[in-house]
Amino acid sequence: MGVCGYLTVSWKCLVVLTFRLLFLLPAGLPVRSQGDSQSDNKVMENITVRQGETVFLTCPQGDVVTHTAWLNRSSILYAGEDKWSVDPRVSLVTLSQEEFTIKIENVDTSDEGQYVCAVQTSSRPRTTSVHVLVLVPPKIINLSKDLVVNEGADVTLMCQAGGKPEPSLSWKLISPSGDLGSEEEVLEIPSITRQKAGTYECTAVNDIGTDVQTVEITVNYAPSVSEGRDVGVTLGQKGVLECEADAMPEASFEWYRDDRRILNGFDGIDIEDLGQISKLMFFNVSESDYGNFTCIAINTLGSSNTTFLLYEVIEPTSSTLLQEESTSHLALTSSETFAIQSGPRTVQDGNSGALGIHTHTSNCVVFVLFLLFLLRV
Ligand SMILES: *[C@@H]1O[C@H](CO)[C@@H](O)[C@H](O)[C@H]1NC(C)=O
Ligand SMILES: *[C@@H]1O[C@H](CO)[C@@H](O)[C@H](O)[C@H]1NC(C)=O
Ligand SMILES: *[C@@H]1O[C@H](CO)[C@@H](O)[C@H](O)[C@H]1NC(C)=O
Ligand SMILES: *[C@@H]1O[C@H](CO)[C@@H](O)[C@H](O)[C@H]1NC(C)=O
Ligand SMILES: *[C@@H]1O[C@H](CO)[C@@H](O)[C@H](O)[C@H]1NC(C)=O
Ligand SMILES: *[C@@H]1O[C@H](CO)[C@@H](O)[C@H](O)[C@H]1NC(C)=O
């Protein structure tokens, strides 16, 4: 029992003992420990494999090999060409003078660990060990459900991911503010505002992959209506008052004429609700329609109102239009004023005797223009 200590039994010790028992090695044959300079216990580079893939375990042989085996921890998978493992994923690939190769298909995390190839030569045993590392792409396994909260509530989102190596996490609010800089499983949003509503993305990343999942947060808040803009309408024309409310959930609207509720379709007034906007539409504004109108937007969290004044606009008549036209010409240069201003006047004097005066005035105009022309030259 000089090979293995009484108290500490290493895996190598187990392997060697198993091997000796298995092939009933001659008792006199020396079995060397790890520290022995003459032993040949090689540690190969780690093999990294993705979950689900196939791993090949290769062990060099030699011309004087008598027995050889591949072990998973202390259990034998293959002894020579005899399969000891009952696992159908394990199979022999090559057993020759040069190498002894087995493969494990559809590798899982439980397969991770030390695999040992034990070789018995005519003189002494030899082991080659290899560590198989199984990598697992990230998978988000526990994510908060979509949420509906009131503005001001403290919100906590949870995102837990599995994978090997351990994935790193990040949280992002998809537009407009973007990256939230949190790399925790738990995202704390104290006193949430409406601007923080939206789609939250949790991303789990490791060396071999990425998983992304989203949580939707709806933030409810009481309506706020934009200030009403007074509207001027001419008698007999169409008129529209527009009330816009920002609210979540969407507000319902009520319209009032002073204290009286206005119902859709009465008194030539229609109410049209278009989501955030409600329109109060007059098809033919009458004298009695002028006045104050109040719009109230209501949802489960509250209400907001604004008042509009519908006022009368006097439409310009044909005579006022004519006046405006002639006065607008006064803006011309002084030398030309006389000539042009006389034009509309002559047209207005539309009686039969005017023809002579008209002709006379026209001649006068031509004469004045001629004089002006001479003076300039
Ligand atoms: C092989 O993997 C083991 C376990 O993860 C680790 O302790 C050891 O350092 C690795 N060896 C090499 C050479 O990477
Ligand atoms: C290796 O041993 C571990 C632990 O006993 C076991 O879970 C795993 O399935 C084994 N893998 C193979 C390929 O035998
Ligand atoms: C998910 O997270 C919640 C909150 O921490 C916890 O109560 C629950 O057990 C977790 N579920 C799983 C499957 O890990
Ligand atoms: C508008 O109402 C007035 C008074 O009731 C009526 O005389 C007029 O014809 C109406 N105009 C239209 C376009 O319906
Ligand atoms: C409309 O409301 C304003 C402010 O409350 C008030 O000053 C005004 O007299 C009202 N107009 C009418 C026509 O009721
Ligand atoms: C309109 O809003 C004001 C506060 O902005 C409130 O005092 C008033 O009671 C509201 N009116 C109605 C009819 O809801």
Side-chain angles (χ1 to χ4, degrees), residues 112-134:
E112 188 166 287
Q114 200 84 22
Y115 288 78
V116 177
C117 172
V119 173
Q120 179 64 50
T121 66
S122 53
S123 57
R124 61 167 191 260
R126 165 161 64 84
T127 64
T128 305
S129 62
V130 62
H131 198 103
V132 173
L133 292 167
V134 180

Side-chain angles (χ1 to χ4, degrees), residues 71-346:
L71 294 90
N72 171 11
R73 295 173 183 88
S74 59
S75 60
I76 293 166
L77 300 175
Y78 264 90
E81 59 188 7
D82 296 330
K83 184 175 174 184
W84 285 49
S85 168
V86 292
D87 195 329
R89 300 173 301 131
V90 181
S91 57
L92 180 64
V93 179
T94 314
L95 178 58
S96 69
Q97 287 271 300
E98 288 75 40
E99 63 170 71
F100 179 26
T101 303
I102 63 165
K103 68 175 178 188
I104 307 166
E105 288 168 287
N106 193 16
V107 167
D108 206 351
T109 46
S110 61
D111 297 321
E112 188 166 287
Q114 200 84 22
Y115 288 78
V116 177
C117 172
V119 173
Q120 179 64 50
T121 66
S122 53
S123 57
R124 61 167 191 260
R126 165 161 64 84
T127 64
T128 305
S129 62
V130 62
H131 198 103
V132 173
L133 292 167
V134 180
L135 299 188
V136 182
K139 175 130 191 71
I140 293 168
I141 50 176
N142 199 359
L143 186 71
S144 297
K145 299 265 179 296
D146 290 354
L147 277 177
V148 177
V149 295
N150 291 345
E151 198 166 34
D154 296 333
V155 172
T156 302
L157 295 183
M158 153 76 78
C159 177
Q160 287 178 324
K164 270 193 76 204
E166 176 107 5
S168 60
L169 296 172
S170 61
W171 280 101
K172 198 167 100 182
L173 170 57
I174 297 177
S175 77
S177 52
D179 204 336
L180 299 167
S182 171
E183 292 178 358
E184 306 288 322
E185 274 181 358
V186 172
L187 177 68
E188 307 268 5
I189 312 166
S191 188
I192 196 164
T193 60
R194 62 194 71 181
Q195 290 78 20
K196 291 251 174 83
T199 305
Y200 284 75
E201 199 178 72
C202 173
T203 305
V205 181
N206 72 7
D207 296 349
I208 59 163
T210 304
D211 191 18
V212 181
Q213 304 233 350
T214 58
V215 184
E216 198 72 37
I217 299 188
T218 307
V219 177
N220 285 344
Y221 49 93
S224 64
V225 292
S226 328
E227 202 177 322
R229 293 211 353 238
D230 296 346
V231 172
V233 180
T234 305
L235 210 59
Q237 296 293 303
K238 284 184 177 177
V240 178
L241 300 179
E242 270 192 30
C243 180
E244 188 172 353
D246 183 17
M248 186 62 75
E250 208 163 72
S252 60
F253 292 90
E254 289 177 3
W255 285 91
Y256 290 85
R257 168 64 198 264
D258 301 321
D259 287 335
R260 217 175 64 248
R261 176 98 186 256
I262 299 168
L263 296 172
N264 192 14
F266 284 86
D267 304 325
I269 302 175
D270 266 8
I271 298 171
E272 195 176 288
D273 288 340
L274 308 157
Q276 293 209 323
I277 294 175
S278 179
K279 289 183 181 178
L280 188 69
M281 302 189 292
F282 303 83
F283 292 109
N284 179 355
V285 171
S286 67
E287 197 71 55
S288 64
D289 288 332
Y290 297 122
N292 284 326
F293 291 85
T294 299
C295 158
I296 307 180
I298 304 158
N299 76 2
T300 51
L301 296 186
S303 69
S304 168
N305 68 71
T306 189
T307 297
F308 303 74
L309 180 64
L310 184 71
Y311 62 91
E312 183 168 10
V313 170
I314 310 290
E315 197 174 65
T317 61
S318 53
S319 63
T320 55
L321 274 176
L322 201 59
Q323 243 165 10
E324 272 170 31
E325 199 183 310
S326 55
T327 50
S328 71
H329 289 150
L330 290 170
L332 298 169
T333 61
S334 56
S335 62
E336 286 162 324
T337 304
F338 166 71
I340 294 163
Q341 214 175 13
S342 60
R345 263 185 216 144
T346 55

Side-chain angles (χ1 to χ4, degrees), residues 32-61:
R32 288 174 172 86
S33 68
Q34 206 175 341
D36 196 316
S37 57
Q38 281 185 290
S39 71
D40 195 0
N41 297 328
K42 222 169 85 190
V43 177
M44 301 216 293
E45 292 225 333
N46 288 346
I47 299 177
T48 298
V49 62
R50 280 162 173 257
Q51 185 181 40
E53 289 183 345
T54 298
V55 64
F56 291 86
L57 303 176
T58 297
C59 170
Q61 300 297 288

